Amino acid sequence: MFSTSSPASRNSNRRFTQTALMLGVVALIAAACGGSDSESTSAAPAPTEPPVTTAAPTTTAAPTTTTTTTTTTTTTAPTAAVIPDSAVVTALGLDPTMTYKVDLATSTQLEFTDDELPVPPATAEVRWYTYQERYVVAFSNFDFSEAGPLCPGASIFTDAGWEFVSNAPTEAGACEGFPTVTTDPLVEARICQGTLFYVTLVPSELQGTLFGTLEALAEPGILVGLTSTAESALGAPEIDLDAVCS
């Protein structure tokens, strides 16, 4: 419950009470002295000095130091293996019959000039290897940055005719419209150490004439390319593509 008296009223009452008490004390002193008008000769007690308080010393705790240790891990990439030599070596487009321009829709041969080809004739080196029981054709000795998107391919000609014809792109869209693009998971094109490796569909134990081609789209639906041939009976060495391209 709150008081209803005002602050001013409470202060006034307090002063009145204090005044009354002082007057009462004076009356009692006068009565004790017999009502004499003379002054009291008793000495007033000496004032008591306040006790001296000594402040306790303040101790400041030293700041906590946190040390952070950073560990740096250096990862060294594995060194790529050296590309082995191969006795099965040739070149792309050694003669005019090994260069071509074709309409993909009709298979019609079209006229063209050499500057339309992915690489100049007879300049790119072609080598053959084996990898995971497949033939691998390797193209090198040309500038990939100037060749643009490529669609390497391969096949073999045996007594049964053309077999295992395939292509795969070096990048998306490079083989758009090619009927021989395969979904075989092992067939692929890899560029590493300045060489384009194409893992073919051709089994490495099969004998015949190997064809390694380098093709590209001159425009949508029109391809230009060069091919090369090698006899598989010469024996292609094995290559570890995972180590070479690491």
Side-chain angles (χ1 to χ4, degrees):
M1 180 179 291
F2 295 96
S3 172
T4 56
S5 61
S6 67
S9 174
R10 289 195 296 271
N11 291 336
S12 176
N13 292 336
R14 186 179 298 112
R15 285 195 298 271
F16 175 81
T17 301
Q18 291 173 346
T19 303
L21 289 173
M22 291 176 66
L23 291 174
V25 171
V26 171
L28 289 173
I29 294 172
C33 295
S36 173
D37 291 333
S38 61
E39 294 181 355
S40 175
T41 58
S42 58
T48 303
E49 294 184 0
V52 178
T53 302
T54 303
T58 302
T59 303
T60 303
T64 303
T65 302
T66 302
T67 303
T68 302
T69 303
T70 302
T71 303
T72 302
T73 303
T74 302
T75 303
T76 303
T79 302
V82 176
I83 300 173
D85 291 331
S86 174
V88 188
V89 183
T90 183
L92 280 171
L94 288 175
D95 61 66
T97 63
M98 303 178 78
T99 59
Y100 46 87
K101 183 176 184 179
V102 178
D103 185 320
L104 287 169
T106 63
S107 298
T108 303
Q109 295 278 341
L110 305 174
E111 293 186 0
F112 66 97
T113 58
D114 286 352
D115 59 2
E116 296 179 77
L117 297 170
V119 298
T123 59
E125 185 178 76
V126 182
R127 289 165 288 155
W128 288 87
Y129 301 93
T130 62
Y131 169 72
Q132 296 188 8
E133 300 182 350
R134 298 285 185 88
Y135 276 111
V136 175
V137 58
F139 305 93
S140 60
N141 197 38
F142 66 94
D143 188 344
F144 290 98
S145 64
E146 293 184 359
L150 297 171
C151 187
S155 59
I156 189 169
F157 188 81
T158 68
D159 292 340
W162 297 101
E163 296 184 87
F164 301 103
V165 182
S166 68
N167 288 85
T170 57
E171 58 185 82
C175 299
E176 187 70 33
F178 280 58
T180 51
V181 174
T182 179
T183 58
D184 186 294
L186 187 59
V187 173
E188 64 171 330
R190 297 194 202 183
I191 297 176
C192 50
Q193 296 198 47
T195 301
L196 167 57
F197 295 97
Y198 177 60
V199 183
T200 76
L201 275 177
V202 185
S204 57
E205 76 274 7
L206 196 60
Q207 300 297 305
T209 302
L210 294 167
F211 286 78
T213 64
L214 194 62
E215 299 170 331
L217 288 170
E219 57 185 272
I222 305 296
L223 73 84
V224 289
L226 312 88
T227 192
S228 63
T229 62
E231 294 302 321
S232 60
L234 294 174
E238 188 174 356
I239 187 172
D240 184 349
L241 274 186
D242 297 323
V244 167
C245 294
S246 64

